[in-house]
Each structure stands twice: as structure tokens, then as C-alpha cells.
């Protein structure tokens, strides 16, 4: 993933589910570069898929 020069970079924790997951998707849809962290890596694929759909 590359950083677009005219976008903001946001760091969101707890992105495997819930508010963090949805905040990361919303930020990606808004055009921001998202750095997402999670402890439960089982949610990583769902987040990657949702973020890809947001582009």
C-alpha cells in the first residue's frame, strides 16, 4: 500500500472488530491512508477485504 501525497495518515487501534474496524473502513473510504493495528489477527483478512472495497 502506498501513501497518497495529498491524504492524511491515521492510526487506528483495535481494528479486528467493532468500532475500530468500522472507523478504519470509514477513514479509508474518506481517502485517508490507514495504519491499522489489532491483537486478534483473525480479523486481518476481513479488514483488508473491506479496505480494498473502499478504494
Amino acid at each position: 500500500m502506498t501513501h497518497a501525497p495529498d491524504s492524511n495518515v491515521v492510526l487506528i487501534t483495535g481494528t479486528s472488530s467493532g468500532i475500530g474496524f468500522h472507523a478504519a473502513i470509514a477513514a479509508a473510504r474518506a481517502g485517508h491512508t490507514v495504519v491499522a493495528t489489532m491483537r486478534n489477527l483473525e480479523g486481518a483478512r476481513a479488514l483488508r477485504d473491506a479496505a480494498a472495497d473502499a478504494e
Side-chain angles (χ1 to χ4, degrees), residues 4-48:
D6 59 343
S7 72
N8 292 319
V9 177
V10 294
L11 169 66
I12 304 174
T13 62
T15 59
S16 61
S17 65
I19 293 171
F21 179 85
H22 293 286
I25 295 168
R29 285 186 179 145
H32 302 295
T33 299
V34 178
V35 178
T37 67
M38 63 182 68
R39 291 185 292 175
N40 180 1
L41 297 180
E42 293 176 8
R45 171 173 257 170
L47 182 61
R48 276 194 298 268

